[in-house]
Amino acid sequence: MAGELPFELPLVEMRKKIAELKQFGEEKGIDFSDEVARLEDRYRVLENEVYSNISPSQKMHLARHQGRPTSLDLINLIFTDFIELHGDRMFGDDLAVVGGIAKLNGLPVTVVGQQRGKDTKDNIQRFFGSAHPEGFRKALRLMKQADKFKRPIITFVDTKGAYPGNTAEERGQSEAIARNLLEMSQLSVPVICVVIGEGGSGGALALAVGNRVLMLEHAIYSAISPNGAASILWKDASKADVAAEAMKITADDLLAMEVIEEIVPEPKGGAHRDYEATAVAIKDALWRHLQELSDLDCGELKEDRYLKFRKIGEFSEAQQEQLVLEEEVLSKE
């Protein structure tokens, strides 16, 4: 399969050997079925070993895989009757953000997502999924419309961060992100956010202030991209793999820290291997959480959202006796 990552190369080599042995047997009329079966058994064992021990840096590359399903891919597979809406009614239509009205199991919802391109031309048009202020304002316009008509909101997060250029800053990038954080915190309808690829920096958080935040198994979510962290710490963006290992960016890390509520499983090898299976898993999780949130009134939804984010980063204060002891130890050193 095209697009294998470096850590998957042993699997590629074994698949190649199996294919060559099958072809040789067909050409020579020799029965190698027993040998093929043994190789396939070894392949399954190796496959389980490779995909059950994926490091944070490897997950970063999986989250950025070019073949990974985009927001539009998942919207078309999960929802019905999707009508895309355009523009922020202020400046223009940012193609890095898509959104509109759809139905989830017959229930009207508003869905918004960050959209990467499928090829170079598409990526340039969509700014590689990094939104300008008008993208965030379009998202907010759609969410406030949903709030007005009492439609639940579902967002898909997939960006390395907000667009970093002068044009975005000139049009109020920081204000647009901050406005989304404020307004999303006060929405009176259920908000469920799903990190489907890379969730980076404020560009991700601007679509991720929800009652529930879910992550695909191999997605990543962080306050700064590993490349950005490496540039700051080591003045070398090529050390992104090293940064990724230390940053606690994986779904397992974030679930343990209660930043997210659920990990949505991916097909073996990543979401790019099977779009339909990935969409089914996300749809099941969305519907389950929507059912739970439907029992809350608007005040309870706001309080639930507030408490979710308020508990992140909890800390405890050391006792005075412990501080004195530590100072004594340090003074002796």
Side-chain angles (χ1 to χ4, degrees):
M1 183 180 290
E4 281 86 359
L5 298 171
F7 72 91
E8 298 176 296
L9 292 181
L11 295 173
V12 176
E13 292 299 320
M14 187 164 287
R15 284 202 300 268
K16 183 179 178 181
K17 289 179 180 178
I18 293 171
E20 289 175 348
L21 185 58
K22 287 180 178 179
Q23 183 179 358
F24 182 77
E26 292 172 359
E27 291 174 352
K28 301 299 182 181
I30 304 173
D31 184 10
F32 287 120
S33 57
D34 290 341
E35 288 79 1
V36 169
R38 281 195 292 271
L39 281 174
E40 288 176 340
D41 287 339
R42 287 173 56 191
Y43 177 84
R44 284 189 285 272
V45 171
L46 179 61
E47 186 180 44
N48 287 329
E49 290 176 357
V50 168
Y51 291 128
S52 62
N53 295 287
I54 302 177
S55 69
S57 60
Q58 290 168 342
K59 289 202 173 193
M60 176 184 72
H61 293 293
L62 273 174
R64 295 174 173 176
H65 196 286
Q66 183 60 31
R68 199 167 177 85
T70 65
S71 292
L72 282 177
D73 290 326
L74 294 172
I75 287 171
N76 290 323
L77 288 168
I78 294 171
F79 304 93
T80 57
D81 303 314
F82 175 62
I83 301 173
E84 186 175 355
L85 303 176
H86 298 272
D88 68 341
R89 302 298 186 266
M90 294 177 69
F91 181 84
D93 187 31
D94 187 348
L95 298 182
V97 175
V98 297
I101 305 168
K103 289 182 179 178
L104 177 64
N105 290 337
L107 175 70
V109 298
T110 288
V111 57
V112 181
Q114 286 147 335
Q115 178 68 21
R116 294 178 291 107
K118 286 292 191 178
D119 52 37
T120 302
K121 181 180 178 181
D122 196 18
N123 264 318
I124 291 172
Q125 290 179 329
R126 297 187 184 278
F127 305 107
F128 293 83
S130 295
H132 280 71
E134 52 269 24
F136 297 119
R137 289 170 182 144
K138 173 168 71 172
L140 181 58
R141 179 177 75 82
L142 297 179
M143 288 188 281
K144 293 182 79 170
Q145 180 195 75
D147 196 40
K148 177 179 179 180
F149 292 102
K150 305 303 178 186
R151 289 192 299 266
I153 298 167
I154 295 165
T155 70
F156 291 121
V157 176
D158 188 14
T159 183
K160 291 184 179 181
Y163 189 77
N166 289 342
T167 54
E169 295 300 332
E170 289 167 356
R171 297 201 288 270
Q173 185 74 289
S174 58
E175 190 279 337
I177 292 173
R179 177 68 58 182
N180 275 33
L181 305 186
L182 172 64
E183 298 283 359
M184 288 187 75
S185 69
Q186 294 300 309
L187 292 169
S188 59
V189 296
V191 183
I192 302 178
C193 313
V194 188
V195 184
I196 61 173
E198 180 172 11
S201 193
L205 191 58
L207 262 68
V209 181
N211 298 90
R212 302 288 183 271
V213 178
L214 319 179
M215 280 181 72
L216 282 178
E217 182 181 359
H218 301 313
I220 60 173
Y221 190 26
S222 57
I224 186 173
S225 72
N227 304 72
S231 297
I232 293 171
L233 293 174
W234 298 290
K235 311 300 181 186
D236 185 357
S238 67
K239 292 187 177 180
D241 285 1
V242 180
E245 296 291 337
M247 288 173 62
K248 304 292 184 182
I249 61 176
T250 69
D252 289 327
D253 292 326
L254 295 162
L255 183 65
M257 293 187 289
E258 299 186 40
V259 175
I260 66 171
E261 278 66 48
E262 183 176 340
I263 299 173
V264 180
E266 296 186 28
K268 189 171 291 184
H272 59 285
R273 304 287 185 186
D274 191 336
Y275 283 22
E276 287 77 13
T278 302
V280 167
I282 294 174
K283 184 176 182 178
D284 289 345
L286 288 175
W287 187 247
R288 185 167 12 92
H289 285 284
L290 270 182
Q291 294 296 102
E292 294 173 3
L293 293 171
S294 65
D295 294 331
L296 305 181
D297 62 31
C298 62
E300 291 171 331
L301 285 168
K302 293 178 185 179
E303 181 70 9
D304 174 80
R305 205 175 301 129
Y306 170 78
L307 293 175
K308 172 194 163 41
F309 286 90
R310 188 68 182 85
K311 70 183 179 183
I312 295 175
E314 288 183 351
F315 65 92
S316 58
E317 296 183 1
Q319 297 297 321
Q320 185 64 32
E321 295 80 1
Q322 182 181 346
L323 292 173
V324 171
L325 179 61
E326 289 175 353
E327 288 175 359
E328 290 176 355
V329 171
L330 289 173
S331 64
K332 290 178 181 178
E333 292 178 350

